[in-house]
Protein backbone atom coordinates (compact mmCIF):
# COMPACT_ATOMS: atom_id res chain seq x y z
CA UNK A 1 0.00 0.00 0.00
CA UNK A 2 1.15 3.50 -0.72
CA UNK A 3 2.23 5.60 2.21
CA UNK A 4 -0.28 8.39 2.82
CA UNK A 5 2.47 10.79 3.85
CA UNK A 6 4.09 10.49 0.39
CA UNK A 7 0.88 11.31 -1.46
CA UNK A 8 -0.02 14.86 -2.33
CA UNK A 9 -3.73 15.12 -1.65
CA UNK A 10 -5.91 18.01 -2.77
CA UNK A 11 -7.32 20.14 0.05
CA UNK A 12 -11.04 19.61 -0.48
CA UNK A 13 -11.41 15.85 -0.30
CA UNK A 14 -15.05 14.86 -0.95
CA UNK A 15 -16.73 13.61 2.19
CA UNK A 16 -18.81 11.06 0.27
CA UNK A 17 -17.68 9.24 -2.88
CA UNK A 18 -20.02 6.81 -4.66
CA UNK A 19 -18.80 4.39 -7.31
CA UNK A 20 -20.60 2.55 -10.11
CA UNK A 21 -18.16 -0.34 -10.40
CA UNK A 22 -18.77 -1.18 -14.05
CA UNK A 23 -16.87 -3.11 -16.72
CA UNK A 24 -16.03 -6.40 -15.00
CA UNK A 25 -17.51 -8.41 -17.89
CA UNK A 26 -15.60 -6.49 -20.56
CA UNK A 27 -12.41 -6.70 -18.51
CA UNK A 28 -12.79 -10.50 -18.49
CA UNK A 29 -13.73 -10.71 -22.17
CA UNK A 30 -10.69 -8.68 -23.18
CA UNK A 31 -8.57 -11.36 -21.50
CA UNK A 32 -10.51 -14.30 -22.92
CA UNK A 33 -11.84 -15.13 -19.43
CA UNK A 34 -15.38 -15.95 -18.25
CA UNK A 35 -17.43 -13.03 -16.87
CA UNK A 36 -17.20 -14.38 -13.31
CA UNK A 37 -13.41 -13.99 -13.44
CA UNK A 38 -14.09 -10.30 -14.04
CA UNK A 39 -16.35 -10.10 -11.01
CA UNK A 40 -13.74 -11.79 -8.84
CA UNK A 41 -11.08 -9.37 -10.09
CA UNK A 42 -13.55 -6.60 -9.28
CA UNK A 43 -13.74 -7.74 -5.65
CA UNK A 44 -9.94 -7.84 -5.40
CA UNK A 45 -9.89 -4.29 -6.65
CA UNK A 46 -12.55 -3.20 -4.20
CA UNK A 47 -10.28 -4.22 -1.32
CA UNK A 48 -7.51 -1.85 -2.41
CA UNK A 49 -9.93 0.99 -3.24
CA UNK A 50 -11.56 0.78 0.21
CA UNK A 51 -8.13 1.02 1.83
CA UNK A 52 -7.10 3.91 -0.43
CA UNK A 53 -10.38 5.77 0.20
CA UNK A 54 -9.78 5.58 3.95
CA UNK A 55 -6.16 6.71 3.52
CA UNK A 56 -7.20 9.65 1.39
CA UNK A 57 -9.61 10.84 4.07
CA UNK A 58 -12.91 9.96 2.37
CA UNK A 59 -15.48 9.39 5.14
CA UNK A 60 -18.29 7.72 3.18
CA UNK A 61 -17.83 5.32 0.28
CA UNK A 62 -20.90 3.93 -1.47
CA UNK A 63 -20.39 1.12 -3.94
CA UNK A 64 -22.92 -0.14 -6.48
CA UNK A 65 -22.55 -3.91 -6.35
CA UNK A 66 -25.89 -5.25 -7.66
CA UNK A 67 -28.81 -3.30 -9.08
CA UNK A 68 -32.52 -4.14 -8.99
CA UNK A 69 -32.14 -4.65 -12.76
CA UNK A 70 -29.21 -7.06 -12.48
CA UNK A 71 -31.69 -9.90 -11.69
CA UNK A 72 -32.31 -9.90 -15.45
CA UNK A 73 -28.86 -11.40 -16.08
CA UNK A 74 -28.45 -15.15 -16.74
CA UNK A 75 -29.25 -17.16 -13.57
CA UNK A 76 -25.70 -18.52 -13.33
CA UNK A 77 -24.26 -14.99 -13.21
CA UNK A 78 -26.84 -13.85 -10.64
CA UNK A 79 -26.00 -16.89 -8.51
CA UNK A 80 -22.29 -16.17 -8.90
CA UNK A 81 -22.76 -12.57 -7.76
CA UNK A 82 -24.75 -13.69 -4.70
CA UNK A 83 -21.97 -16.17 -3.89
CA UNK A 84 -19.44 -13.37 -4.16
CA UNK A 85 -21.42 -11.29 -1.66
CA UNK A 86 -21.36 -14.19 0.79
CA UNK A 87 -17.65 -14.89 0.20
CA UNK A 88 -16.73 -11.27 0.72
CA UNK A 89 -18.48 -11.20 4.09
CA UNK A 90 -16.86 -14.48 5.14
CA UNK A 91 -13.37 -13.52 4.04
CA UNK A 92 -13.16 -9.78 4.47
CA UNK A 93 -15.24 -8.94 7.53
CA UNK A 94 -12.38 -9.39 10.00
CA UNK A 95 -9.98 -7.17 8.13
CA UNK A 96 -12.64 -4.54 7.36
CA UNK A 97 -13.48 -4.44 11.05
CA UNK A 98 -9.81 -4.19 12.06
CA UNK A 99 -9.38 -1.33 9.61
CA UNK A 100 -12.19 0.68 11.17
CA UNK A 101 -14.67 0.23 8.33
CA UNK A 102 -18.35 0.42 9.23
CA UNK A 103 -20.48 -1.66 6.88
CA UNK A 104 -23.96 -0.58 5.89
CA UNK A 105 -26.35 -1.88 3.29
CA UNK A 106 -28.63 0.08 0.98
CA UNK A 107 -31.26 -1.70 -1.08
CA UNK A 108 -33.44 -4.65 -0.25
CA UNK A 109 -32.24 -7.83 1.37
CA UNK A 110 -35.59 -9.66 1.18
CA UNK A 111 -34.71 -11.48 -2.04
CA UNK A 112 -31.72 -13.20 -0.45
CA UNK A 113 -31.76 -16.52 1.41
CA UNK A 114 -32.64 -15.94 5.11
CA UNK A 115 -29.19 -17.18 6.25
CA UNK A 116 -27.45 -14.73 3.95
CA UNK A 117 -29.70 -11.90 5.10
CA UNK A 118 -28.73 -12.77 8.67
CA UNK A 119 -25.06 -12.82 7.73
CA UNK A 120 -25.29 -9.33 6.21
CA UNK A 121 -27.14 -8.00 9.27
CA UNK A 122 -24.58 -9.56 11.59
CA UNK A 123 -21.70 -7.96 9.66
CA UNK A 124 -23.43 -4.58 9.98
CA UNK A 125 -23.87 -5.14 13.73
CA UNK A 126 -20.24 -6.21 14.25
CA UNK A 127 -18.86 -3.08 12.58
CA UNK A 128 -21.40 -0.54 13.82
CA UNK A 129 -18.99 1.24 16.20
CA UNK A 130 -16.31 1.76 13.51
CA UNK A 131 -15.90 5.25 12.16
CA UNK A 132 -12.78 5.45 9.99
CA UNK A 133 -14.81 4.85 6.82
CA UNK A 134 -18.52 4.21 6.33
CA UNK A 135 -18.96 1.70 3.51
CA UNK A 136 -22.47 1.64 2.04
CA UNK A 137 -22.90 -1.47 -0.05
CA UNK A 138 -25.67 -1.01 -2.63
CA UNK A 139 -26.87 -4.56 -3.16
CA UNK A 140 -30.23 -5.16 -4.83
CA UNK A 141 -30.40 -1.39 -4.91
CA UNK A 142 -32.39 0.74 -7.33
CA UNK A 143 -33.02 4.45 -6.96
CA UNK A 144 -36.62 4.18 -8.17
CA UNK A 145 -37.30 1.25 -5.87
CA UNK A 146 -35.84 3.27 -2.99
CA UNK A 147 -38.20 6.18 -3.70
CA UNK A 148 -41.20 3.83 -3.98
CA UNK A 149 -40.25 2.29 -0.60
CA UNK A 150 -39.94 5.77 0.92
CA UNK A 151 -43.39 6.82 -0.35
CA UNK A 152 -44.97 3.65 0.98
CA UNK A 153 -43.40 4.14 4.39
CA UNK A 154 -44.38 7.79 4.59
CA UNK A 155 -47.98 6.85 3.85
CA UNK A 156 -47.85 3.95 6.33
CA UNK A 157 -46.55 6.35 9.00
CA UNK A 158 -49.49 8.67 8.35
CA UNK A 159 -47.33 11.61 7.26
CA UNK A 160 -49.57 14.46 6.08
CA UNK A 161 -48.96 15.86 2.56
CA UNK A 162 -47.93 19.28 3.90
CA UNK A 163 -45.36 17.64 6.18
CA UNK A 164 -43.53 16.14 3.20
CA UNK A 165 -40.44 18.18 2.39
CA UNK A 166 -37.17 17.28 0.69
CA UNK A 167 -35.64 16.56 4.07
CA UNK A 168 -38.57 14.28 5.03
CA UNK A 169 -38.03 12.29 1.85
CA UNK A 170 -34.29 12.14 2.58
CA UNK A 171 -35.00 10.63 5.99
CA UNK A 172 -37.05 7.83 4.41
CA UNK A 173 -34.40 6.82 1.88
CA UNK A 174 -32.01 3.90 2.48
CA UNK A 175 -29.22 6.50 2.71
CA UNK A 176 -30.83 8.51 5.53
CA UNK A 177 -27.68 8.19 7.64
CA UNK A 178 -25.27 9.45 4.94
CA UNK A 179 -24.77 12.87 3.38
CA UNK A 180 -25.46 13.19 -0.36
CA UNK A 181 -22.55 11.98 -2.51
CA UNK A 182 -20.14 14.76 -3.46
CA UNK A 183 -18.54 12.75 -6.23
CA UNK A 184 -19.90 9.84 -8.29
CA UNK A 185 -17.38 7.80 -10.23
CA UNK A 186 -18.38 5.46 -13.06
CA UNK A 187 -15.84 3.13 -14.58
CA UNK A 188 -15.90 1.57 -18.08
CA UNK A 189 -16.98 4.73 -19.86
CA UNK A 190 -20.77 4.40 -19.80
CA UNK A 191 -22.48 7.78 -19.56
CA UNK A 192 -25.59 6.86 -17.61
CA UNK A 193 -26.96 6.74 -14.07
CA UNK A 194 -28.32 3.16 -14.24
CA UNK A 195 -30.73 3.85 -11.36
CA UNK A 196 -27.98 4.78 -8.88
CA UNK A 197 -28.68 7.40 -6.18
CA UNK A 198 -31.07 9.28 -8.45
CA UNK A 199 -32.37 11.45 -5.59
CA UNK A 200 -29.13 11.88 -3.66
CA UNK A 201 -27.03 12.58 -6.75
CA UNK A 202 -29.01 15.68 -7.76
CA UNK A 203 -25.91 17.87 -7.33
CA UNK A 204 -23.08 15.36 -7.28
CA UNK A 205 -20.01 15.91 -9.43
CA UNK A 206 -19.31 13.13 -11.93
CA UNK A 207 -16.07 11.48 -12.96
CA UNK A 208 -16.39 8.96 -15.78
CA UNK A 209 -13.37 6.95 -16.87
CA UNK A 210 -12.93 4.37 -19.63
CA UNK A 211 -10.93 2.18 -17.24
CA UNK A 212 -12.70 -1.08 -16.42
CA UNK A 213 -13.42 -1.49 -12.70
CA UNK A 214 -10.79 -4.21 -11.99
CA UNK A 215 -8.10 -1.83 -13.33
CA UNK A 216 -9.31 1.29 -11.50
CA UNK A 217 -6.43 1.68 -9.05
CA UNK A 218 -5.73 4.01 -6.09
CA UNK A 219 -3.74 6.31 -8.40
CA UNK A 220 -6.79 6.82 -10.58
CA UNK A 221 -8.94 7.39 -7.50
CA UNK A 222 -6.47 10.12 -6.58
CA UNK A 223 -6.77 11.50 -10.12
CA UNK A 224 -10.58 11.62 -9.68
CA UNK A 225 -10.10 13.50 -6.39
CA UNK A 226 -7.80 15.99 -8.12
CA UNK A 227 -10.35 16.54 -10.90
CA UNK A 228 -13.08 16.98 -8.28
CA UNK A 229 -10.94 19.53 -6.43
CA UNK A 230 -10.91 21.72 -9.56
CA UNK A 231 -14.68 21.75 -9.97
CA UNK A 232 -16.80 24.70 -8.99
CA UNK A 233 -20.03 23.48 -7.38
CA UNK A 234 -22.59 26.18 -8.03
CA UNK A 235 -25.90 24.58 -7.01
CA UNK A 236 -27.75 26.83 -9.42
CA UNK A 237 -25.99 30.01 -8.34
CA UNK A 238 -23.67 31.97 -10.61
CA UNK A 239 -19.95 31.51 -10.54
CA UNK A 240 -18.10 32.93 -7.53
CA UNK A 241 -15.35 33.84 -10.01
CA UNK A 242 -17.73 35.80 -12.26
CA UNK A 243 -19.74 37.97 -9.92
CA UNK A 244 -21.76 40.67 -11.68
CA UNK A 245 -20.30 44.16 -11.67
C1 LIG B 1 -20.26 -4.44 -13.16
O1 LIG B 1 -19.69 -5.07 -14.25
C2 LIG B 1 -20.68 -5.41 -12.09
C3 LIG B 1 -22.12 -5.60 -11.98
C4 LIG B 1 -23.04 -4.97 -12.64
C5 LIG B 1 -22.55 -6.60 -11.01
P1 LIG B 1 -20.55 -5.65 -15.44
O2 LIG B 1 -20.85 -7.08 -15.15
O3 LIG B 1 -21.73 -4.80 -15.71
O4 LIG B 1 -19.51 -5.56 -16.63
P2 LIG B 1 -19.84 -5.18 -18.14
O5 LIG B 1 -20.56 -3.86 -18.11
O6 LIG B 1 -20.68 -6.29 -18.70
O7 LIG B 1 -18.49 -5.08 -18.77
C1 LIG C 1 -24.73 -0.77 -13.04
O1 LIG C 1 -24.06 -1.46 -14.02
C2 LIG C 1 -24.93 -1.65 -11.85
C3 LIG C 1 -23.73 -1.99 -11.09
C4 LIG C 1 -22.51 -1.58 -11.32
C5 LIG C 1 -23.97 -2.86 -9.97
P1 LIG C 1 -24.82 -2.23 -15.19
O2 LIG C 1 -23.78 -2.84 -16.04
O3 LIG C 1 -25.85 -3.12 -14.62
O4 LIG C 1 -25.57 -1.02 -15.94
P2 LIG C 1 -26.16 -0.95 -17.41
O5 LIG C 1 -27.07 -2.12 -17.58
O6 LIG C 1 -25.01 -0.99 -18.34
O7 LIG C 1 -26.85 0.37 -17.45
MG1 LIG D 1 -22.05 -3.20 -16.90
Amino acid sequence: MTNASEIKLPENIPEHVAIIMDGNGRWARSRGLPRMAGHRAGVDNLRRIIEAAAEYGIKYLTIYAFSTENWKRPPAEVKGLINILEDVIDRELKSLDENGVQLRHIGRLEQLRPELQAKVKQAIKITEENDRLILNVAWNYGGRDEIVCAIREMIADGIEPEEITESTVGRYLFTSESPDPDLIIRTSGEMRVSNFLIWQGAYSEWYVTKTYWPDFDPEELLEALNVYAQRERRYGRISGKALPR
Side-chain angles (χ1 to χ4, degrees):
M1 215 352 94
T2 40
N3 183 344
S5 59
E6 291 165 11
I7 298 167
K8 195 168 165 355
L9 291 170
E11 264 171 33
N12 55 334
I13 295 290
E15 184 183 20
H16 183 175
V17 175
I19 308 182
I20 303 178
M21 309 182 292
D22 198 11
N24 293 347
R26 280 163 284 166
W27 180 91
R29 194 175 57 202
S30 71
R31 284 167 173 71
L33 297 169
R35 290 180 59 83
M36 283 316 298
H39 294 313
R40 280 190 292 272
V43 171
D44 290 342
N45 191 45
L46 181 56
R47 196 177 297 120
R48 61 179 181 162
I49 290 297
I50 292 170
E51 186 46 44
E55 265 189 50
Y56 295 166
I58 293 164
K59 291 312 289 181
Y60 295 81
L61 180 67
T62 299
I63 49 155
Y64 206 6
F66 191 91
S67 75
T68 46
E69 287 71 37
N70 288 148
W71 295 103
K72 296 174 195 160
R73 295 189 177 200
E77 182 166 343
V78 170
K79 197 160 172 267
L81 289 166
I82 295 173
N83 287 342
I84 283 185
L85 173 70
E86 186 154 22
D87 272 10
V88 168
I89 299 173
D90 289 342
R91 290 202 210 142
E92 306 294 333
L93 182 61
K94 191 162 174 282
S95 106
L96 288 170
D97 190 30
E98 285 167 0
N99 284 303
V101 176
Q102 182 188 138
L103 269 178
R104 292 182 187 169
H105 167 256
I106 60 170
R108 288 217 238 179
L109 290 180
E110 297 99 283
Q111 275 140 293
L112 294 174
R113 285 182 282 116
E115 314 85 73
L116 184 48
Q117 290 182 35
K119 197 175 269 191
V120 174
K121 286 179 189 155
Q122 195 198 13
I124 291 168
K125 184 91 193 123
I126 288 171
T127 61
E128 72 183 351
E129 303 286 327
N130 297 341
D131 62 2
R132 185 162 165 246
L133 177 77
I134 310 291
L135 179 67
N136 288 316
V137 179
W139 211 97
N140 192 21
Y141 172 87
R144 288 186 172 184
D145 182 58
E146 177 180 44
I147 292 169
V148 169
C149 287
I151 293 169
R152 286 189 180 157
E153 276 185 46
M154 284 188 281
I155 292 172
D157 286 352
I159 308 250
E160 297 296 331
E162 58 278 9
E163 289 172 339
I164 300 178
T165 62
E166 291 186 10
S167 74
T168 323
V169 175
R171 281 199 300 279
Y172 276 85
L173 298 176
F174 299 136
T175 52
S176 59
E177 305 285 313
S178 302
D180 287 342
D182 301 294
L183 172 65
I184 301 179
I185 296 171
R186 183 164 190 154
T187 58
S188 89
E190 306 295 356
M191 296 279 201
R192 54 179 172 265
V193 180
S194 300
N195 210 3
F196 189 48
L197 302 177
I198 55 177
W199 173 280
Q200 302 86 336
Y203 266 105
S204 303
E205 297 295 325
W206 279 81
Y207 177 88
V208 177
T209 171
K210 286 213 159 66
T211 308
Y212 295 143
W213 170 249
D215 292 330
F216 182 86
D217 57 15
E219 285 75 66
E220 195 169 1
L221 176 60
L222 183 58
E223 167 64 13
L225 298 184
N226 281 314
V227 169
Y228 170 83
Q230 300 307 313
R231 299 272 177 87
E232 186 190 21
R233 302 183 75 183
R234 289 192 288 280
Y235 300 97
R237 298 185 190 98
I238 59 169
S239 172
K241 293 171 195 143
L243 287 173
R245 276 181 266 181

